[in-house]
Amino acid sequence: MPLRYFYMKTIQDFSFKDKKVLVRVDFNVPLDKNYHVTDDTRIVAAVPTIQKILNDGGSVILMSHLGRPKGGYEEKYSLKHVVSCLSDALQRPVLFASDCIGAPAGQAAKDLKPGEILLLENLRFYKEEEKGDHNFAQKLAGLGDFYVNDAFGTAHRRHASTAVIAEFFKSNKVLGLLMAAEVDNIQKVLHNAERPFTAIIGGAKVSSKINIIKNLADKVDHFIIGGGMVFTFIKAMNGNVGKSLVEDEMIGNAKEILAICKENGVELYLPKDSVCSTEFSENGSIGIYETTAIPNDSMGLDIGPKAIEEYCQVIANSKTIMWNGPMGVFEMAAFQKGTEKVGRAVASATDSGAFSLVGGGDSVAAVNKFNLSDSISYVSTGGGAMLELMEGITLPGVAAIEE
Ligand code: AMP
């Protein structure tokens, strides 16, 4: 467990002996066509919280969503498919209730004994879950006598099981270990970063990262920009971006960010050069160009060698590093080098004592692809929730516990 920077009550502050503890987890895991879990990261991440409750002599009732069902049972979204994976992770049997409310859930919860684990069926088989329905939340709340929220991945949603349910628990509600660690690490970076602090922001679009950049603009020393969003900035500076991805409607915002950075003395790095192709695939004609002078028939799909060198140097000199979003289309081998090199630079800066936080689905996928996760100080499990915390938004799932 990392050091707790902000004091929040977590399950470590309670004993759960003989308690039936309702735990909201995020088991929204990928399944293959035979319904086998292909990435158990989120299941493994929930184990410490479950284990703590069991070790205290309590029992655990797990609730989660899986996928995006249309509001009714769908075989491919049944949480029964994760039971054996969860059981393997916990080295214990896991019971399953074929509904999350009603008789199946009620009876199974009633029969549950200390040391036992019950997983409820997918909450999103009821539309009421995402609507934050009060009655539905009350039915869920009736199943246990303590509420723990450990679902960071959905903490930015005000759903029945993530926020509304907390109203039915007065003092017997608390954040789980995963959730507390996530919030703590992100808050530490936002409010107590050792300098120089570098934020590496990549990914496809400026529009999805604009609020993060604005919120960080008075906190960081350097922004390193990569990915498709580069070209909106370059166009805002009157460069030639060829066929590269550009959000014309965001050009004004890009100019505003450049101005804010200048005013705050923040260095915003754009790639000096880019690996470009005539097609959005590995089959086009590939060339390296200055990012401000990309030919009309080409698009930038990765940062180039000069940019890699400059970015890696900035990263090596940083004491705090936050990374969200790949530097290029790293899913294709021809355009993965920038993301890989930046990832390796973050890992080696961490080895030399920097604190690094990586979050967002694609950056985490990149870190895993290049086997770097053990060399990063903290890898966040939440995409949207991490972005919203970074944007300075209070998460409903956290606020509901603190109310
Ligand atoms: P995001 O979800 O916004 O972090 O974006 C991640 C996606 O951005 C990945 O799937 C990348 O393939 C894509 N991406 C990265 N660089 C570029 C680029 N230069 N042009 C188009 N897409 C890109």
Side-chain angles (χ1 to χ4, degrees), residues 46-328:
V47 166
T49 288
I50 298 169
Q51 211 77 63
K52 150 74 179 158
I53 297 165
L54 297 177
N55 290 347
D56 281 359
S59 56
V60 177
I61 303 165
L62 298 168
M63 350 175 243
S64 179
H65 73 285
L66 174 62
R68 293 175 184 269
K70 291 183 183 69
Y73 182 82
E74 284 178 63
E75 177 72 11
K76 66 177 172 183
Y77 294 132
S78 173
L79 275 166
K80 70 184 178 198
H81 304 309
V82 315
V83 167
S84 71
C85 181
L86 174 62
S87 178
D88 287 349
L90 288 164
Q91 298 282 296
R92 286 176 189 248
V94 172
L95 303 165
F96 182 70
S98 60
D99 201 344
C100 61
I101 53 169
Q107 195 57 49
K110 195 165 165 230
D111 294 344
L112 204 63
K113 295 178 195 60
E116 289 186 334
I117 306 148
L118 171 68
L119 173 63
L120 304 179
E121 183 55 287
N122 194 342
L123 296 160
R124 290 197 191 164
F125 286 164
Y126 289 87
K127 281 205 157 84
E128 289 87 341
E129 162 65 357
E130 287 182 88
K131 286 184 183 154
D133 183 88
H134 212 256
N135 285 337
F136 180 69
Q138 189 166 22
K139 286 179 190 162
L140 292 172
L143 298 172
D145 41 32
F146 210 107
Y147 171 65
V148 173
N149 191 351
D150 211 20
F152 184 67
T154 46
H156 57 314
R157 307 278 183 227
R158 194 176 160 74
H159 292 170
S161 70
T162 61
V164 180
I165 191 172
E167 292 171 23
F168 300 98
F169 295 87
K170 283 203 168 73
S171 55
N172 44 349
K173 56 186 173 186
V174 71
L175 297 182
L177 295 173
L178 171 67
M179 186 85 143
E182 293 273 8
V183 174
D184 208 43
N185 279 290
I186 294 169
Q187 298 289 28
K188 177 176 159 180
V189 162
L190 284 180
H191 302 290
N192 199 31
E194 203 182 331
R195 290 173 179 279
F197 175 12
T198 299
I200 309 166
I201 313 276
K205 294 181 169 176
V206 189
S207 49
S208 59
K209 307 285 163 80
I210 186 92
N211 291 331
I212 274 206
I213 300 179
K214 283 188 176 165
N215 190 43
L216 291 177
D218 61 354
K219 300 179 176 64
V220 301
D221 300 290
H222 310 289
F223 277 121
I224 284 180
I225 306 288
M229 73 175 69
V230 160
F231 307 101
T232 302
F233 281 100
I234 298 288
K235 194 164 176 191
M237 295 156 69
N238 296 321
N240 260 343
V241 296
K243 295 198 292 185
S244 305
L245 185 68
V246 169
E247 290 174 279
D248 281 314
E249 68 286 4
M250 296 303 291
I251 286 180
N253 281 288
K255 283 184 178 162
E256 190 193 342
I257 287 169
L258 292 169
I260 294 173
C261 287
K262 201 167 174 190
E263 205 174 293
N264 291 352
V266 171
E267 198 78 51
L268 186 141
Y269 292 89
L270 290 160
K272 286 184 171 146
D273 53 353
S274 291
V275 180
C276 304
S277 174
T278 48
E279 286 174 41
F280 189 82
S281 79
E282 294 181 277
N283 305 324
S285 164
I286 296 177
I288 295 168
Y289 303 99
E290 302 287 307
T291 309
T292 49
I294 297 176
N296 289 342
D297 66 348
S298 289
M299 64 187 90
L301 296 176
D302 194 10
I303 58 171
K306 285 187 204 153
I308 289 176
E309 199 186 326
E310 184 173 50
Y311 285 9
C312 290
Q313 205 152 16
V314 175
I315 292 165
N317 291 328
S318 301
K319 283 275 176 272
T320 304
I321 303 156
M322 195 287 289
W323 181 19
N324 178 285
M327 295 291 98

